[in-house]
Amino acid sequence: MAAAVPAAAAAASKILRTHLVFGANTDVGKTVVTAGLVRSRLAAAAATANSPSSSSPQKHRDAVHYIKPLQCGGSDEAWVRRHVELPVLSSSSSSLSSFQKGVSYSARTLYRWEMAASPHLASRVERMPVSDDEVIATLSTALSSLVEDNANVGDVKPSILVETAGGVLSPSSAVAEEHLASTFKGSLLGSSLSRQQQNILPRHSRDSSSTASHGSNTDDDSLSWGWSTQADLYQNLGIPAILVGDGRLGGISCTLSALESLQIRGYDVQGIVVVDDGGGYGNVAALREYASRSTAGAGAGGGSGERQRNSFENDPNESILSLPPLPPEPEPLDGWYQSHEVEEKLEAFETRLEMLWREEEEY
């Protein structure tokens, strides 16, 4: 069961163009793509704010807001900052960076753990549990604050990108039903744990029947943990989604599994972006073919389960985007981000997303 969401936060995507960015799996390029989307939105905002027809004077304000609710190891926020601030070189923009044109952005991380692992594990090991309600309350406060400060940048409304952690069904932070300090007296991963503690399995924190189904235990050394998936965690926000697919061998199945996980939870998936693996697997072509067979009220494979038609299915050739392979490590991505192919494809993708949002706003 997803956490409750304040009304102001639930309305954020209707007031400001807001998207949740999900990954089909870990390490499919979700942060790489998100940084590219921030760059594209900034370039568009700068072009509009500085156009001769702009009705508002140029202002140095945040036109795009990047939020990373859960971070384990490293810093996706730092990655985004590093690559967003590269100048945009496409033919539709000058070589000046967006910041030189009076438009900026904000980036923030809400919860951070040092361990490079899933949030459900990192939060246990570091003894820093965070409940779903806490995560959603903090994110809702951030979204509500941005909505309240709804000042236009030139003639452009600010937009928001919320990058999730791992894959669509990757765990959120774990939370303990008992007090952590009084339960684990030794290392969480050490030999001091009892056999029962070592065999604890995570259970969904909202499942009130879990204690009954697994049996009650009054031992003070036992602990029941719970976590939700990323898709469940953000479900009640009502924010449309962008899915970063998997361009590797086996990525078709992985991407479609992630897509259907979002669809059955009621997400409007407005676009899919795949970073090509360079192996010639044809993942994007296959995804477009799959989506083109979709009919309202049925899965693209012809299944009988009813679901809402997603926006990306209206025009798969435009809404399912293929980006070129990344350069081999440790080569920096500056040239990749500044290539005409990447900038122009992301610009067209973003133009379509903005059109969908304006249509919804008018409706």
Side-chain angles (χ1 to χ4, degrees), residues 96-133:
L96 294 176
S97 72
S98 299
F99 313 102
Q100 292 172 283
K101 301 188 220 175
V103 176
S104 188
Y105 73 101
S106 72
R108 61 184 297 194
T109 303
L110 303 185
Y111 294 96
R112 185 192 307 273
W113 297 270
E114 294 301 320
M115 184 180 187
S118 170
H120 86 288
L121 179 59
S123 58
R124 297 183 199 196
V125 172
E126 297 181 23
R127 303 190 179 197
M128 295 173 59
V130 180
S131 70
D132 292 351
D133 287 334

Side-chain angles (χ1 to χ4, degrees), residues 11-311:
S13 63
K14 301 187 185 307
I15 300 173
L16 300 180
R17 187 158 65 97
T18 306
H19 287 93
L20 285 160
V21 183
F22 286 97
N25 203 345
T26 301
D27 201 29
V28 294
K30 184 171 73 270
T31 304
V32 171
V33 170
T34 305
L37 294 174
V38 175
R39 281 173 52 81
S40 184
R41 292 187 181 195
L42 273 175
T48 301
N50 289 273
S51 68
S53 60
S54 176
S55 60
S56 303
Q58 178 174 310
K59 302 176 181 179
H60 194 88
R61 293 189 57 87
D62 295 334
V64 185
H65 302 278
Y66 167 86
I67 301 175
K68 180 77 175 185
L70 304 176
Q71 177 72 57
C72 296
S75 174
D76 291 342
E77 175 189 334
W79 171 279
V80 169
R81 290 184 182 276
R82 160 73 178 84
H83 294 92
V84 162
E85 295 178 14
L86 295 170
V88 175
L89 302 179
S90 66
S91 58
S92 59
S93 305
S94 74
S95 61
L96 294 176
S97 72
S98 299
F99 313 102
Q100 292 172 283
K101 301 188 220 175
V103 176
S104 188
Y105 73 101
S106 72
R108 61 184 297 194
T109 303
L110 303 185
Y111 294 96
R112 185 192 307 273
W113 297 270
E114 294 301 320
M115 184 180 187
S118 170
H120 86 288
L121 179 59
S123 58
R124 297 183 199 196
V125 172
E126 297 181 23
R127 303 190 179 197
M128 295 173 59
V130 180
S131 70
D132 292 351
D133 287 334
E134 289 178 86
V135 174
I136 293 302
T138 303
L139 177 57
S140 296
T141 298
L143 294 174
S144 299
S145 176
L146 294 176
V147 169
E148 290 171 5
D149 187 29
N150 185 23
N152 286 5
V153 182
D155 291 336
V156 180
K157 282 187 175 182
S159 64
I160 305 169
L161 285 162
V162 180
E163 183 186 355
T164 62
V168 166
L169 297 184
S170 290
S172 63
S173 168
V175 64
E177 292 179 2
E178 291 90 3
H179 292 292
L180 184 67
S182 64
T183 306
F184 281 138
K185 302 178 178 64
S187 167
L188 283 170
L189 299 181
S191 59
S192 60
L193 297 184
S194 67
R195 179 182 297 274
Q196 186 177 35
Q197 288 171 329
Q198 293 173 6
N199 289 311
I200 288 171
L201 295 177
R203 298 194 292 274
H204 286 281
S205 56
R206 298 282 180 269
D207 186 0
S208 60
S209 64
S210 62
T211 302
S213 61
H214 289 276
S216 117
N217 192 322
T218 58
D219 186 348
D220 287 341
D221 287 334
S222 69
L223 184 64
S224 178
W225 290 85
W227 52 265
S228 296
T229 68
Q230 295 292 294
D232 290 324
L233 177 62
Y234 303 109
Q235 184 178 4
N236 285 347
L237 287 169
I239 296 175
I242 297 168
L243 177 61
V244 179
D246 192 338
R248 299 168 293 193
L249 180 64
I252 297 171
S253 176
C254 184
T255 303
L256 291 179
S257 295
L259 174 63
E260 292 193 358
S261 294
L262 293 173
Q263 289 174 324
I264 63 176
R265 287 168 172 81
Y267 285 94
D268 178 16
V269 181
Q270 295 192 339
I272 300 175
V273 183
V274 178
V275 179
D276 191 356
D277 183 64
Y281 305 123
N283 290 13
V284 167
L287 293 172
R288 288 171 176 167
E289 182 178 357
Y290 181 90
S292 68
R293 295 174 55 200
S294 175
T295 56
S304 59
E306 292 188 2
R307 63 168 177 80
Q308 181 178 353
R309 185 181 179 90
N310 280 183
S311 299

